[in-house]
Amino acid sequence: GFVQANPAQKAFLQNLYPGISEYSILPELDSIEIGLKQSLLEGRLQYTLALYDSDWKNRTTQSSVFNPASCNGPPLVENTPPNCPFGVAGSFQTLANDANVRGVELNVDGSLSDRWTAGLALTYNDATWDKYYNTTFASWTGPLQTGNGPPRRFDGNTLAKSPDLVASLTSTYRAPLAGDWEWFVRGDVRYQGRMWDSDVNITQSDSFTRVFVRTGVQKDNLAVEFYANNLTNDTSWDYIYRLPDLSLVPLANFATQGIGVLLPSKREF
Protein backbone atom coordinates (compact mmCIF):
# COMPACT_ATOMS: atom_id res chain seq x y z
CA GLY A 1 0.00 0.00 0.00
CA PHE A 2 0.94 3.66 -0.32
CA VAL A 3 2.80 5.33 2.53
CA GLN A 4 2.50 9.15 2.54
CA ALA A 5 2.15 9.56 -1.21
CA ASN A 6 0.45 12.47 -3.01
CA PRO A 7 -1.69 11.89 -6.15
CA ALA A 8 1.24 12.25 -8.57
CA GLN A 9 3.36 9.89 -6.54
CA LYS A 10 0.49 7.39 -6.30
CA ALA A 11 0.14 7.43 -10.09
CA PHE A 12 3.88 6.74 -10.44
CA LEU A 13 3.68 3.84 -7.97
CA GLN A 14 0.58 2.40 -9.64
CA ASN A 15 2.48 2.31 -12.91
CA LEU A 16 5.42 0.61 -11.19
CA TYR A 17 3.29 -1.79 -9.14
CA PRO A 18 0.01 -2.56 -10.92
CA GLY A 19 -2.72 -3.16 -8.35
CA ILE A 20 -1.14 -1.18 -5.50
CA SER A 21 -3.72 0.79 -3.53
CA GLU A 22 -4.33 2.73 -0.34
CA TYR A 23 -4.51 -0.47 1.66
CA SER A 24 -2.08 -3.29 2.20
CA ILE A 25 -3.26 -6.84 1.61
CA LEU A 26 -3.79 -8.67 4.88
CA PRO A 27 -1.22 -11.42 5.45
CA GLU A 28 -2.37 -15.03 5.66
CA LEU A 29 -0.66 -17.98 7.35
CA ASP A 30 -1.39 -21.64 6.64
CA SER A 31 0.51 -23.85 9.04
CA ILE A 32 0.60 -27.55 9.77
CA GLU A 33 2.55 -29.37 12.47
CA ILE A 34 2.84 -33.07 13.20
CA GLY A 35 4.45 -34.25 16.42
CA LEU A 36 5.43 -37.40 18.27
CA LYS A 37 6.19 -37.76 21.97
CA GLN A 38 7.35 -40.94 23.65
CA SER A 39 8.95 -42.28 26.83
CA LEU A 40 11.19 -45.36 26.62
CA LEU A 41 13.30 -47.61 28.86
CA GLU A 42 10.97 -47.28 31.84
CA GLY A 43 11.07 -43.51 31.66
CA ARG A 44 14.86 -43.18 31.40
CA LEU A 45 14.62 -41.82 27.87
CA GLN A 46 12.10 -39.30 26.54
CA TYR A 47 11.93 -37.64 23.17
CA THR A 48 9.70 -35.30 21.21
CA LEU A 49 9.75 -34.91 17.44
CA ALA A 50 7.88 -32.26 15.47
CA LEU A 51 7.62 -31.54 11.75
CA TYR A 52 6.21 -28.18 10.66
CA ASP A 53 5.37 -26.42 7.42
CA SER A 54 4.14 -22.81 7.28
CA ASP A 55 3.08 -20.88 4.18
CA TRP A 56 2.96 -17.09 4.44
CA LYS A 57 0.87 -15.26 1.86
CA ASN A 58 1.06 -11.47 1.53
CA ARG A 59 3.71 -11.15 4.23
CA THR A 60 4.20 -7.39 4.10
CA THR A 61 7.59 -5.71 3.83
CA GLN A 62 8.32 -1.99 3.57
CA SER A 63 10.33 -0.76 0.64
CA SER A 64 11.81 2.59 -0.43
CA VAL A 65 11.14 4.21 -3.79
CA PHE A 66 13.20 7.01 -5.31
CA ASN A 67 13.04 8.99 -8.51
CA PRO A 68 14.68 7.36 -11.56
CA ALA A 69 18.44 7.96 -11.83
CA SER A 70 17.84 10.43 -14.68
CA CYS A 71 16.27 12.82 -12.15
CA ASN A 72 19.46 13.10 -10.07
CA GLY A 73 21.10 15.48 -12.48
CA PRO A 74 22.86 17.62 -12.78
CA PRO A 75 20.66 19.48 -12.46
CA LEU A 76 18.70 17.74 -9.72
CA VAL A 77 15.00 17.39 -10.57
CA GLU A 78 12.52 16.61 -7.81
CA ASN A 79 8.79 16.96 -7.08
CA THR A 80 8.16 17.23 -10.83
CA PRO A 81 5.59 14.74 -12.09
CA PRO A 82 5.14 12.55 -13.95
CA ASN A 83 8.75 11.35 -14.30
CA CYS A 84 10.32 12.76 -11.10
CA PRO A 85 7.45 12.97 -8.60
CA PHE A 86 9.44 12.45 -5.40
CA GLY A 87 11.72 14.59 -3.30
CA VAL A 88 15.27 13.46 -2.63
CA ALA A 89 14.02 11.49 0.39
CA GLY A 90 11.84 9.31 -1.85
CA SER A 91 8.77 7.51 -0.57
CA PHE A 92 7.77 4.21 1.00
CA GLN A 93 5.23 1.53 0.26
CA THR A 94 4.37 -1.84 1.65
CA LEU A 95 4.65 -4.84 -0.65
CA ALA A 96 3.04 -8.26 -0.27
CA ASN A 97 5.49 -11.16 -0.49
CA ASP A 98 5.18 -14.91 0.06
CA ALA A 99 7.39 -17.15 2.18
CA ASN A 100 7.60 -20.76 3.29
CA VAL A 101 9.13 -21.96 6.56
CA ARG A 102 9.50 -25.67 7.15
CA GLY A 103 11.64 -27.80 9.40
CA VAL A 104 12.00 -30.37 12.13
CA GLU A 105 12.53 -30.09 15.88
CA LEU A 106 13.97 -32.90 18.00
CA ASN A 107 14.40 -32.96 21.78
CA VAL A 108 15.88 -35.94 23.61
CA ASP A 109 16.44 -36.27 27.39
CA GLY A 110 17.87 -39.32 29.06
CA SER A 111 19.37 -40.72 32.24
CA LEU A 112 22.67 -42.45 31.52
CA SER A 113 22.84 -43.52 35.18
CA ASP A 114 21.26 -42.57 38.48
CA ARG A 115 23.62 -39.58 38.65
CA TRP A 116 24.28 -38.73 35.03
CA THR A 117 21.78 -37.08 32.66
CA ALA A 118 22.11 -35.76 29.13
CA GLY A 119 19.96 -33.89 26.65
CA LEU A 120 19.96 -32.99 22.97
CA ALA A 121 17.95 -30.26 21.25
CA LEU A 122 18.10 -29.83 17.49
CA THR A 123 16.21 -27.63 15.04
CA TYR A 124 16.58 -27.78 11.27
CA ASN A 125 14.90 -24.88 9.51
CA ASP A 126 14.38 -24.08 5.83
CA ALA A 127 12.99 -20.55 5.46
CA THR A 128 12.61 -19.36 1.87
CA TRP A 129 10.98 -16.44 0.08
CA ASP A 130 8.71 -17.92 -2.61
CA LYS A 131 7.97 -14.43 -3.90
CA TYR A 132 10.00 -11.43 -2.82
CA TYR A 133 10.74 -8.03 -4.28
CA ASN A 134 11.98 -4.87 -2.67
CA THR A 135 12.88 -1.64 -4.43
CA THR A 136 15.42 -0.66 -1.78
CA PHE A 137 17.37 -3.85 -2.35
CA ALA A 138 16.99 -3.65 -6.12
CA SER A 139 18.55 -0.17 -6.15
CA TRP A 140 21.89 -1.33 -4.78
CA THR A 141 22.35 -4.89 -6.01
CA GLY A 142 22.91 -4.05 -9.66
CA PRO A 143 21.69 -1.94 -12.57
CA LEU A 144 18.14 -0.72 -12.19
CA GLN A 145 15.42 -1.78 -14.56
CA THR A 146 14.96 0.55 -17.50
CA GLY A 147 11.95 2.82 -17.60
CA ASN A 148 9.23 2.02 -15.11
CA GLY A 149 9.58 -1.75 -15.33
CA PRO A 150 9.06 -4.02 -12.33
CA PRO A 151 11.85 -4.17 -9.74
CA ARG A 152 14.41 -6.93 -9.54
CA ARG A 153 13.00 -9.93 -7.69
CA PHE A 154 14.65 -12.07 -5.04
CA ASP A 155 12.49 -15.18 -5.24
CA GLY A 156 14.14 -18.18 -3.60
CA ASN A 157 16.22 -16.18 -1.13
CA THR A 158 16.55 -17.30 2.48
CA LEU A 159 14.86 -15.25 5.19
CA ALA A 160 17.30 -13.06 7.10
CA LYS A 161 18.74 -14.27 10.40
CA SER A 162 17.32 -17.78 9.99
CA PRO A 163 20.07 -20.35 10.58
CA ASP A 164 19.45 -23.69 8.93
CA LEU A 165 20.63 -25.63 11.99
CA VAL A 166 20.65 -24.89 15.72
CA ALA A 167 21.69 -27.59 18.19
CA SER A 168 22.68 -27.96 21.81
CA LEU A 169 24.04 -30.85 23.83
CA THR A 170 23.81 -30.78 27.64
CA SER A 171 25.13 -33.19 30.25
CA THR A 172 25.03 -33.04 34.06
CA TYR A 173 26.61 -35.30 36.66
CA ARG A 174 25.68 -35.17 40.36
CA ALA A 175 27.08 -37.08 43.35
CA PRO A 176 26.94 -36.91 47.18
CA LEU A 177 29.61 -34.83 48.91
CA ALA A 178 29.00 -34.68 52.67
CA GLY A 179 25.81 -34.69 54.71
CA ASP A 180 23.03 -33.10 52.65
CA TRP A 181 25.53 -31.52 50.26
CA GLU A 182 26.15 -32.77 46.75
CA TRP A 183 28.55 -31.69 44.03
CA PHE A 184 27.76 -31.36 40.34
CA VAL A 185 29.34 -30.56 37.01
CA ARG A 186 27.45 -29.49 33.89
CA GLY A 187 28.57 -28.92 30.32
CA ASP A 188 26.71 -27.29 27.41
CA VAL A 189 27.79 -27.28 23.78
CA ARG A 190 25.80 -24.97 21.50
CA TYR A 191 25.95 -24.79 17.73
CA GLN A 192 24.42 -22.21 15.39
CA GLY A 193 24.52 -22.38 11.60
CA ARG A 194 25.20 -19.56 9.19
CA MET A 195 22.76 -16.67 8.79
CA TRP A 196 22.20 -14.13 6.02
CA ASP A 197 22.55 -10.42 6.76
CA SER A 198 19.23 -9.52 5.15
CA ASP A 199 16.50 -10.92 2.92
CA VAL A 200 18.52 -9.92 -0.13
CA ASN A 201 21.24 -12.44 0.89
CA ILE A 202 24.40 -10.37 0.37
CA THR A 203 26.71 -12.04 2.92
CA GLN A 204 26.53 -14.62 5.69
CA SER A 205 27.85 -14.90 9.20
CA ASP A 206 29.92 -17.97 10.03
CA SER A 207 28.54 -20.93 11.92
CA PHE A 208 29.94 -21.32 15.42
CA THR A 209 30.16 -23.68 18.38
CA ARG A 210 30.44 -22.48 21.97
CA VAL A 211 31.12 -24.37 25.17
CA PHE A 212 29.78 -23.54 28.64
CA VAL A 213 30.92 -25.32 31.82
CA ARG A 214 29.56 -25.07 35.35
CA THR A 215 30.52 -26.87 38.58
CA GLY A 216 29.70 -26.40 42.22
CA VAL A 217 28.08 -27.71 45.37
CA GLN A 218 24.42 -27.59 46.37
CA LYS A 219 22.25 -28.16 49.42
CA ASP A 220 18.50 -27.70 49.08
CA ASN A 221 18.04 -24.19 47.62
CA LEU A 222 21.60 -23.06 48.35
CA ALA A 223 24.29 -23.46 45.70
CA VAL A 224 27.84 -22.23 45.16
CA GLU A 225 28.94 -22.37 41.54
CA PHE A 226 32.02 -21.78 39.43
CA TYR A 227 31.41 -21.27 35.71
CA ALA A 228 33.14 -20.63 32.42
CA ASN A 229 31.14 -19.08 29.60
CA ASN A 230 32.42 -19.39 26.03
CA LEU A 231 35.20 -21.62 27.32
CA THR A 232 37.07 -21.76 23.99
CA ASN A 233 36.76 -17.97 23.58
CA ASP A 234 35.01 -18.30 20.21
CA THR A 235 35.04 -14.93 18.42
CA SER A 236 32.52 -15.65 15.65
CA TRP A 237 29.90 -12.92 15.22
CA ASP A 238 26.50 -13.62 16.74
CA TYR A 239 24.86 -12.21 13.61
CA ILE A 240 25.34 -9.54 10.94
CA TYR A 241 23.04 -6.89 9.50
CA ARG A 242 23.17 -4.28 6.75
CA LEU A 243 23.63 -0.55 7.35
CA PRO A 244 22.64 2.07 4.74
CA ASP A 245 24.78 5.19 4.33
CA LEU A 246 22.42 8.08 5.11
CA SER A 247 25.08 10.78 4.64
CA LEU A 248 24.77 10.96 0.84
CA VAL A 249 23.66 14.34 -0.55
CA PRO A 250 21.27 14.12 -2.23
CA LEU A 251 19.99 10.87 -0.68
CA ALA A 252 18.84 9.55 -4.05
CA ASN A 253 19.18 5.86 -3.16
CA PHE A 254 20.66 3.47 -0.61
CA ALA A 255 23.38 2.21 -2.96
CA THR A 256 26.14 2.66 -0.38
CA GLN A 257 25.80 -0.04 2.24
CA GLY A 258 27.80 -1.32 5.15
CA ILE A 259 27.67 -4.37 7.38
CA GLY A 260 27.13 -4.22 11.13
CA VAL A 261 27.98 -7.11 13.42
CA LEU A 262 27.01 -8.20 16.92
CA LEU A 263 30.15 -9.36 18.71
CA PRO A 264 29.99 -12.30 21.13
CA SER A 265 30.77 -12.07 24.82
CA LYS A 266 34.38 -12.98 25.55
CA ARG A 267 35.32 -15.91 27.68
CA GLU A 268 34.43 -15.19 31.29
CA PHE A 269 34.74 -17.01 34.60
Side-chain angles (χ1 to χ4, degrees):
F2 302 122
V3 179
Q4 296 179 342
N6 61 37
Q9 294 166 351
K10 291 179 180 179
F12 183 92
L13 292 173
Q14 286 172 329
N15 186 50
L16 190 62
Y17 305 105
I20 194 172
S21 68
E22 300 280 354
Y23 305 101
S24 299
I25 302 175
L26 291 177
E28 299 178 5
L29 173 63
D30 293 324
S31 182
I32 184 172
E33 182 172 342
I34 301 175
L36 177 65
K37 181 177 182 180
Q38 192 172 18
S39 179
L40 303 171
L41 303 177
E42 298 181 344
R44 299 180 66 88
L45 178 66
Q46 302 88 35
Y47 74 88
T48 59
L49 177 66
L51 304 176
Y52 58 89
D53 191 325
S54 301
D55 279 314
W56 283 94
K57 298 297 182 183
N58 305 320
R59 182 167 174 168
T60 56
T61 56
Q62 192 172 81
S63 180
S64 303
V65 175
F66 295 94
N67 286 324
S70 58
C71 302
N72 298 332
L76 176 67
V77 180
E78 58 178 327
N79 298 316
T80 306
N83 296 323
C84 306
F86 304 113
V88 293
S91 183
F92 297 92
Q93 77 283 333
T94 55
L95 302 176
N97 295 306
D98 299 339
N100 176 264
V101 181
R102 64 183 63 180
V104 56
E105 295 179 349
L106 173 66
N107 287 275
V108 181
D109 293 292
S111 298
L112 304 179
S113 71
D114 292 340
R115 299 175 181 176
W116 189 9
T117 60
L120 170 69
L122 182 148
T123 300
Y124 174 77
N125 190 60
D126 179 18
T128 304
W129 287 109
D130 295 329
K131 183 187 77 173
Y132 187 79
Y133 56 96
N134 183 304
T135 53
T136 304
F137 292 156
S139 69
W140 51 266
T141 56
L144 294 174
Q145 303 285 0
T146 59
N148 292 333
R152 184 177 297 101
R153 300 178 65 91
F154 302 95
D155 300 354
N157 279 17
T158 300
L159 272 66
K161 300 177 181 63
S162 297
D164 58 351
L165 182 62
V166 176
S168 65
L169 177 65
T170 301
S171 185
T172 303
Y173 185 86
R174 296 179 177 271
L177 181 61
D180 294 332
W181 288 90
E182 65 175 8
W183 66 272
F184 66 89
V185 59
R186 174 187 171 114
D188 294 82
V189 180
R190 304 172 189 173
Y191 171 85
Q192 179 175 287
R194 305 181 71 184
M195 292 192 296
W196 287 103
D197 64 304
S198 62
D199 294 321
V200 75
N201 293 181
I202 294 296
T203 186
Q204 284 182 298
S205 60
D206 291 331
S207 60
F208 59 81
T209 302
R210 293 185 186 145
V211 179
F212 302 79
V213 177
R214 187 175 299 269
T215 186
V217 295
Q218 185 174 7
K219 176 183 179 182
D220 298 327
N221 294 328
L222 176 64
V224 179
E225 296 183 347
F226 299 92
Y227 66 90
N229 290 338
N230 193 9
L231 182 64
T232 60
N233 203 31
D234 176 74
T235 57
S236 303
W237 301 330
D238 283 349
Y239 64 84
I240 58 179
Y241 55 94
R242 64 180 181 85
L243 287 171
D245 183 358
L246 302 180
S247 65
L248 299 177
V249 179
L251 184 60
N253 58 56
F254 291 139
T256 303
Q257 294 278 322
I259 292 295
V261 303
L262 179 63
L263 299 176
S265 299
K266 295 182 178 179
R267 177 172 52 210
E268 60 178 355
F269 300 96

